[in-house]
Amino acid sequence: MADKKLGEVRTEFIQRVNKSIISQLLDDLLSEDIMDDEEVEGVNAKDKTQDQARILIDNVRKKGPKASRLFIDFLLARNPCLAEQLDLQTFPSVSQPIKGNISEEEVQFLESKNGIRLCPQNVFQQIQTNEGKEIYPIKDPKTRTRLALIICNIKFDCLGYRKGAEVDLEEMKLLLEDLGYNVETETNLSSQGITTCLKNFAARREHKASDGMFVVLMSHGYQDSLCGVHSEDKDVDIFSIKTIFSTFNNMNCPALRGKPKVVIIQACRGDQRGYKVENVEDSAASAAASLQSDSHITMQLQADAVQRVHVESDLICLYSTTPDHVSWRHPKTGSFFIIQLIDTIKKHAWNCNLEEVFRKVMDHFASNPCQMPSKDRTTLTKKFYLFPGH
């Protein structure tokens, strides 16, 4: 709830706010009868800015969630920069209803959900108004049946155990569930098992009432293939990436025609490292620092090596690395790519479409040259907003 949020940012607010903003906030609160003249005078009676800020925010918090939400609105209007520093810019506005008539329990649910910044109603409406025909529509949460599938191979007969993959599986499952998807998980499948699992998933009737789907595949791999659990080399128990696209094309999966289909792949695509040392004077220091950092952690990391319609459309494949290169995974915290993708979705999906979110992921790796994620075989015809909370 809003009063709880103010409690979380109380210390930083006291340290950062100035007297001018305090004065403006007092005027706003007085005009809305949230504070009376005596309470305003009590704040102004203090000489030190931090003392004024302390009395102000404590006074508002004690008045409950509605007063606290109005206070956040006023701060956003008066000083957006400070509001952003306090991580209040994504907080649902009281001046814009979130979802018609909702209970206090639902308000608390919308404000915070496992670290995902939810899309405020006013932002949701603004995007719908400004980009309506350019975005994929979303269906009513009460009637839609979103599905997601995660296949994660961890233990192999001949190849190395993928330590840390359990973390990737659990964190990705939590993320997709928080985005409104019913998530199915499968582990340790052969190449034929992966194929069968994908075909069964593509045939699910629930896709008709869905507005999109996610498929996440994690395993050892080669440039255009993934390893089944019985794999020994490039020729034994190998799953071709092409099978994914044929399985979910418009002919074989008509229930998802015209709907965004997201494929996320965490796997190596070769055995080359995704960086080089530049022999350039201006970059020597940063390159050396990067190599030192990399050499420090390399011992802990592991590589995952009757109408005409388009046969394939509305697909995007997000790959953990570029062709020929390895993809790094920490045995305790999970894969670098999966960690960063989840973190970026949590922070930016509230107002960024998926391709922009992924650009931010790639931008992160631009300054951390261990691997470079890539987009493959993208046929999205519209912008795909995840709209967390809607």
Side-chain angles (χ1 to χ4, degrees), residues 15-183:
Q15 293 173 346
R16 291 179 179 271
V17 72
N18 59 48
K19 283 192 175 183
S20 174
I21 297 301
I22 290 175
S23 178
Q24 295 173 46
L25 290 173
L26 288 172
D27 289 340
D28 293 331
L29 295 167
L30 184 63
S31 68
E32 292 293 330
D33 294 324
I34 296 173
M35 294 179 69
D36 57 29
D37 291 327
E38 184 177 350
E39 290 170 323
V40 171
E41 290 174 5
V43 175
N44 289 328
K46 298 296 182 180
D47 294 328
K48 294 183 178 180
T49 302
Q50 290 189 353
D51 290 338
Q52 289 185 348
R54 187 177 294 108
I55 295 175
L56 171 59
I57 195 168
D58 288 345
N59 188 302
V60 174
R61 284 196 305 120
K62 292 175 182 177
K63 294 179 182 293
K66 185 174 181 180
S68 297
R69 287 204 303 273
L70 278 168
F71 178 84
I72 291 172
D73 279 357
F74 296 147
L75 183 58
L76 281 164
R78 296 296 187 181
N79 194 328
C81 181
L82 175 59
E84 183 174 358
Q85 290 171 344
L86 299 177
D87 196 23
L88 297 175
Q89 77 277 17
T90 62
F91 206 84
S93 169
V94 73
S95 60
Q96 294 286 344
I98 298 175
K99 273 191 180 179
N101 297 319
I102 62 173
S103 66
E104 285 295 318
E105 289 78 10
E106 287 175 301
V107 172
Q108 185 175 9
F109 169 78
L110 288 170
E111 288 174 354
S112 176
K113 192 175 182 184
N114 290 334
I116 296 181
R117 295 181 180 179
L118 305 183
C119 180
Q121 181 70 10
N122 57 333
V123 175
F124 175 71
Q125 292 174 340
Q126 183 180 19
I127 294 174
Q128 294 279 357
T129 300
N130 295 342
E131 306 180 48
K133 294 183 178 180
E134 299 177 4
I135 65 178
Y136 286 103
I138 65 170
K139 294 192 174 185
D140 188 338
K142 296 178 181 178
T143 58
R144 72 187 179 208
T145 52
R146 289 176 170 174
L147 296 181
L149 173 66
I150 304 175
I151 298 175
C152 184
N153 282 352
I154 303 172
K155 186 177 181 180
F156 299 78
D157 294 343
C158 301
L159 304 179
Y161 188 91
R162 297 183 62 246
K163 293 180 180 179
E166 301 92 339
V167 179
D168 293 338
L169 175 60
E170 180 62 24
E171 291 298 319
M172 184 59 71
K173 182 176 184 290
L174 286 173
L175 176 74
L176 293 174
E177 287 176 341
D178 288 348
L179 291 172
Y181 291 83
N182 294 317
V183 183

Side-chain angles (χ1 to χ4, degrees), residues 255-390:
L256 286 172
R257 183 184 301 168
K259 303 172 185 179
K261 297 170 280 288
V262 182
V263 178
I264 299 171
I265 301 176
Q266 165 61 42
C268 284
R269 305 181 75 178
D271 55 9
Q272 298 179 27
R273 295 196 176 194
Y275 61 84
K276 67 183 182 69
V277 180
E278 293 182 332
N279 189 23
V280 180
E281 183 177 354
D282 289 343
S283 63
S286 60
S290 175
L291 283 174
Q292 183 178 8
S293 174
D294 184 62
S295 64
H296 174 68
I297 60 175
T298 297
M299 293 301 292
Q300 302 180 54
L301 303 181
Q302 300 181 359
D304 283 335
V306 169
Q307 168 185 325
R308 286 187 180 180
V309 296
H310 292 286
V311 172
E312 182 177 309
S313 66
D314 309 293
L315 269 158
I316 182 170
C317 180
L318 309 180
Y319 226 122
S320 60
T321 190
T322 46
D324 302 318
H325 297 118
V326 297
S327 183
W328 292 105
R329 170 174 36 82
H330 192 284
K332 292 184 178 180
T333 59
S335 304
F336 285 8
F337 169 66
I338 297 297
I339 293 170
Q340 189 58 39
L341 179 61
I342 291 173
D343 182 67
T344 308
I345 288 176
K346 285 183 175 181
K347 289 180 178 178
H348 299 287
W350 68 276
N351 70 338
C352 293
N353 65 69
L354 185 64
E355 290 193 84
E356 174 60 15
V357 167
F358 196 63
R359 186 198 65 77
K360 291 179 181 292
V361 173
M362 292 190 289
D363 183 59
H364 167 82
F365 281 96
S367 58
N368 181 25
C370 56
Q371 66 192 72
M372 175 53 73
S374 62
K375 284 190 298 184
D376 285 20
R377 204 159 168 164
T378 300
T379 56
L380 292 181
T381 59
K382 299 178 184 293
K383 300 174 184 178
F384 180 29
Y385 284 92
L386 293 169
F387 290 128
H390 294 271

Side-chain angles (χ1 to χ4, degrees), residues 194-220:
I194 296 173
T195 301
T196 301
C197 187
L198 290 175
K199 289 183 177 179
N200 290 339
F201 182 74
R204 292 285 294 272
R205 293 182 179 180
E206 292 96 323
H207 291 313
K208 291 183 179 180
S210 177
D211 49 17
M213 70 97 187
F214 274 79
V215 168
V216 184
L217 298 166
M218 298 183 277
S219 184
H220 289 301

